[in-house]
Amino acid sequence: MSHRLGKILIVDDDVDFVSSLSAFLEAQGYTSIKAHDGREGLRLAKQERPDLIIMDIMMKERTEGFFTAQEIRRATGLGDVPIFVVSALYSKLDGFEIPPEVEWLAHDAFFPKPIDMFRLLESIRERVPGNREPVAARLGKEE
Amino acid sequence: MNGEHVPDLDFQKEPESIIVIDDDYAMRLSCSQILTKSGFQVETYEDGARGLEAIARLKPSLVVVDLKMPGISGMEVISRLHDGDPCIVTIVITGYATIGTAVEAMKAGAYDFLPKPFKPDELRLIVRRGLERRCLLLRARRAEMERELLKRRFITFVSHELKTPLAAVHQYLDVLKHLGDGKTSGVDREVWLGRCLRRTEEMQEIINDWLTLAKMESERLSRRRIRVDLARIIPEIIKNYEDLAAARGISLRSELPGEGYLVWGDPNCLTVLLDNLIVNAIKYNKPEGTVAVSGEVIDGEVTICVADTGIGIPEEYRDRLFDEFFRIKDTACEEVTGTGLGLPICKRIVSEMSGRIDVNSQVGVGSVFSVHLPACREPDEQGAKEEAASESQVG
C-alpha cells in the first residue's frame, strides 16, 4: 500500500455524506475511517487514533456531535486531535452561533454542508502534517 | 429561551404564595390571618424595599400592596415588581381618599384595588379572582411560548431536513467533479448516481408532505369524491412498505378480504392517510413485531384499524398526538425520525371526509389507530359512473 498522508475519522449518520467525503479524502491520499453515530465515532477515535476528525452535529440527537466531540476531548491521548464540525444547519441558526473557543464545544473549525472541498482540504493540510503539496495542484486547479 | 421565569401551572403542588406589603402592622397581621386561613402561604413586609427584595426572591403568585407607605411607594412597587415575572397579580389596598391613585395604579398594571376598610371575605374574593386571572395569564403565556418554540423548531427542521439531502447530492456531484474521469477508479459512479436520485426523491417526499399540509391549511385539499374500495388499495399500499418492514424484521399483513370496504373519497388522500399510519406502525414497532391492517363495516361506517406491536404511546401524550410538529420525547422512540406532520395530515384528511380517527394504546404492548369513515352505499354502476366522470375531469 502506498504511503498515506494521515488518518481521518468521519462521524456522520448520513451514509451518502460519509461515502462521498471518504472517497474524496482517499483520492487525496488520506486514509478514511467511517462512523455512523456518536458512539461508534468515540469507539473508533479511541481505537484508531485518527489525525483529524470530521463530525456532524445533528445525528440522532440534536447536539450529538457536540457531545461526542467533548467525549473525544476527554479521552486519554485524544485531547489535541483536531475536530472539524460539519452541519447542514444554517451556521447562524439560533443556538448554534457558538464561538469555537467555548470549552464544551471543543471543535476547531465549522464547515456548513455542502462542504467547500477546497477549504476543507486546506484546513486539513494545515492541521495534519506530512503533506507539502499545494492544495490547488492536488485538486487539479489552474493556479 | 430568554431566561424569563414562567412558573408551573400545576397549582395543586403547593399553596399559592402571597406577599403583603403594608406599613401598618395591624393591616399586615389581619391580611396574613385571613389569607393563611384560606390556605395561602403568606409573607408580610413593612416597606417597599423589603417587599421588592422578597418578591424577587420568593416569586409569589400575588402581591397585596398598600399605596401609601414611607420610602418606596406602593406605586413604585407596582411598576417594578413585574421585572421577574410578568404574570404576578397585584392588588392595591388604599384608603377612600386615594381612589384616584388606585385607578392610576391599575393603569400602571395593578389588577384591582380594595378600599379600606374591607371585610375578610372581600379580600378573599378579590385574591381568588386575582389568582384566576393569573392562571389565565400563565396559560396565555405558555401558549405563546409554545408557539414561539414551534416556529423555531420549524426553522431548524426546514434547515436541517431539507438541506441534508441536498447537501448529500451536492457533495456526490462535487466529489465526482473534483476527482475527474481518471481518478474515479475506487468509485462506483452508477451507485453514486443511484444514491443521488434516491436523495432527491427523499427531498420530494418532504416537500410533498409540507405541501399536503399547506394545502390543508389553506383549505384547498382535494374535494374530489369517488367510490374507493379500501380493501383494494390497502394491499397495494402495504406492498410499498414490505421492504421497509422486512429491513426491521417486521411482518406486515392485511387482514381485509378482497373487497367491500367502500367509502367516498379522494384515493390520493386516502393513500396518504394509510401510508402515514402504516409507516408509523413500522417505525414505532419493536424488532420482529407485526403490523396488521384490519377492518369492519358496521352501521354504515367503515372502520380501518392499523395495529402494531410497538412501544405504545404514554397516556399523557395522546391528547397532543395529532398536533402539528408534536413528537413524543421518550427514550423508547428517540431514534425514530419523522416530520411531526404525519398524524396532523391524517386527522385532517379523515375529518375532510366526515370521519374520525382515534387511538388505543398500551405502553410496551402496541397501538391501534382506527379510522372511521362513512360507508358508501351507492350501487356499483352509479359508483363506476362517478369514478369515470371524476377521472375524466382530472385527466
Side-chain angles (χ1 to χ4, degrees):
Chain A
M1 192 179 161
S2 64
H3 173 68
R4 301 259 92 183
L5 296 168
K7 213 190 266 183
I8 297 176
L9 170 64
I10 308 166
V11 189
D12 197 320
D13 62 343
D14 191 311
V15 182
D16 294 321
F17 180 83
V18 175
S19 6
S20 56
L21 185 58
S22 158
F24 176 73
L25 294 174
E26 292 279 346
Q28 302 307 323
Y30 296 94
T31 302
S32 68
I33 309 154
K34 304 172 196 174
H36 296 97
D37 60 42
R39 191 184 293 187
E40 197 184 4
L42 183 61
R43 186 179 63 77
L44 287 174
K46 285 179 181 164
Q47 181 188 309
E48 299 284 335
R49 315 199 75 75
D51 299 299
L52 189 137
I53 298 168
I54 296 173
M55 173 92 62
D56 184 36
I57 299 172
M58 257 172 96
M59 289 182 275
K60 284 178 192 110
E61 284 173 51
R62 226 172 93 96
T63 50
E64 186 169 332
F66 285 150
F67 290 105
T68 307
Q70 198 181 16
E71 281 297 310
I72 289 172
R73 282 275 184 264
R74 284 201 198 115
T76 336
L78 288 170
D80 293 333
V81 63
I83 300 178
F84 290 178
V85 161
V86 296
S87 181
L89 280 171
Y90 179 48
S91 55
K92 289 214 167 71
L93 191 74
D94 248 4
F96 284 92
E97 204 179 5
I98 307 163
E101 64 268 24
V102 175
E103 199 243 335
W104 71 267
L105 192 57
H107 75 260
D108 295 85
F110 174 81
F111 290 85
K113 284 185 190 175
I115 291 181
D116 178 338
M117 292 299 181
F118 186 77
R119 219 193 104 210
L120 176 73
L121 205 53
E122 253 181 353
S123 303
I124 291 175
R125 196 175 160 268
E126 280 167 19
R127 306 276 202 307
V128 181
N131 173 24
R132 298 279 169 266
E133 194 186 350
V135 169
R138 298 171 61 218
L139 281 177
K141 289 194 178 182
E142 309 276 327
E143 290 305 302
Chain B
M1 297 217 305
N2 52 9
E4 187 187 277
H5 170 75
V6 175
D8 226 306
L9 267 176
D10 191 355
F11 292 131
Q12 307 310 316
K13 259 194 250 166
E14 43 190 79
E16 296 267 15
S17 127
I18 295 175
I19 284 179
V20 178
I21 310 170
D22 198 319
D23 58 332
D24 178 355
Y25 173 74
M27 184 58 77
R28 289 203 302 276
L29 189 66
S30 53
C31 283
S32 174
Q33 281 172 347
I34 293 163
L35 296 173
T36 305
K37 231 168 100 185
S38 298
F40 299 112
Q41 176 120 29
V42 186
E43 300 259 345
T44 64
Y45 296 91
E46 62 194 67
D47 62 59
R50 288 197 180 91
L52 278 173
E53 184 275 322
I55 289 166
R57 184 163 42 85
L58 300 172
K59 304 184 180 1
S61 304
L62 186 141
V63 175
V64 178
V65 61
D66 183 22
L67 275 188
K68 224 174 146 196
M69 293 183 293
I72 295 177
S73 72
M75 196 69 95
E76 198 174 339
V77 171
I78 293 164
S79 66
R80 281 168 55 181
L81 64 72
H82 290 119
D83 289 353
D85 173 5
C87 298
I88 294 181
V89 170
T90 319
I91 290 162
V92 161
I93 43 180
T94 175
Y96 278 120
T98 54
I99 280 181
T101 332
V103 172
E104 283 300 305
M106 289 173 69
K107 280 185 191 158
Y111 164 67
D112 207 344
F113 69 93
L114 194 59
K116 287 187 217 177
F118 50 81
K119 294 186 187 117
D121 275 348
E122 288 177 317
L123 178 65
R124 282 192 202 107
L125 184 72
I126 205 166
V127 163
R128 290 221 179 275
R129 281 211 330 252
L131 289 172
E132 279 166 25
R133 163 84 181 155
R134 175 176 163 81
C135 189
L136 290 177
L137 283 175
L138 286 179
R139 275 187 215 287
R141 194 143 201 97
R142 291 228 161 239
E144 177 60 33
M145 282 172 79
E146 266 171 31
R147 270 197 298 276
E148 189 59 33
L149 193 67
L150 286 184
K151 228 159 61 186
R152 287 157 53 102
R153 281 179 57 192
F154 184 79
I155 294 166
T156 310
F157 180 79
V158 171
S159 179
H160 190 257
E161 299 301 306
L162 261 188
K163 282 183 75 180
T164 296
L166 184 61
V169 172
H170 180 110
Q171 193 166 287
Y172 271 133
L173 298 175
D174 197 32
V175 169
L176 283 175
K177 181 177 152 264
H178 275 312
L179 296 183
D181 287 337
K183 293 192 202 164
T184 52
S185 53
V187 169
D188 190 332
R189 292 176 78 100
E190 288 303 313
V191 171
W192 280 25
L193 289 175
R195 297 293 305 165
C196 284
L197 279 174
R198 222 196 64 72
R199 298 306 293 261
T200 53
E201 280 160 13
E202 178 190 329
M203 284 182 71
Q204 279 165 2
E205 277 164 25
I206 295 171
I207 292 168
N208 284 343
D209 230 19
W210 288 345
L211 286 179
T212 307
L213 201 75
K215 269 187 207 156
M216 288 175 185
E217 270 167 4
S218 59
E219 299 188 356
R220 281 184 291 109
L221 184 70
S222 165
R223 306 267 169 189
R224 183 180 168 215
R225 292 289 177 268
I226 63 168
R227 196 175 55 98
V228 180
D229 190 343
L230 292 173
R232 289 206 182 150
I233 66 167
I234 285 170
E236 293 298 313
I237 295 168
I238 285 181
K239 215 177 278 171
N240 292 336
Y241 294 105
E242 271 165 359
D243 288 348
L244 181 67
R248 292 161 196 240
I250 290 164
S251 79
L252 181 55
R253 61 174 191 267
S254 165
E255 292 172 355
L256 296 166
E259 57 183 37
Y261 291 80
L262 297 172
V263 295
W264 281 104
D266 179 332
N268 293 332
C269 287
L270 286 165
T271 303
V272 169
L273 165 71
L274 291 159
D275 274 344
N276 274 312
L277 294 179
I278 291 169
V279 168
N280 279 353
I282 295 170
K283 285 202 300 193
Y284 293 93
N285 218 317
K286 291 177 192 152
E288 312 302 318
T290 60
V291 175
V293 184
S294 60
E296 54 186 13
V297 187
I298 296 175
D299 295 335
E301 188 177 83
V302 174
T303 299
I304 299 293
C305 297
V306 180
D308 65 56
T309 54
I311 51 186
I313 302 152
E315 181 95 45
E316 67 259 36
Y317 297 125
R318 282 179 218 161
D319 280 352
R320 301 187 55 203
L321 208 52
F322 295 94
D323 289 357
E324 281 163 32
F325 296 114
F326 176 72
R327 300 207 62 219
I328 293 174
K329 286 181 204 137
D330 204 285
T331 48
C333 57
E334 64 186 1
E335 295 189 0
V336 182
T337 57
T339 63
L341 297 174
L343 286 177
I345 288 176
C346 291
K347 189 183 177 183
R348 197 62 199 259
I349 289 171
V350 171
S351 66
E352 285 280 338
M353 294 181 187
S354 312
R356 60 185 205 286
I357 181 168
D358 49 49
V359 60
N360 265 306
S361 187
Q362 206 178 332
V363 173
V365 176
S367 307
V368 182
F369 283 85
S370 307
V371 172
H372 312 272
L373 294 168
C376 158
R377 294 172 211 245
E378 299 289 327
D380 279 3
E381 273 178 41
Q382 176 71 21
K385 261 185 232 163
E386 287 279 345
E387 199 163 337
S390 185
E391 292 293 349
S392 66
Q393 271 172 10
V394 170

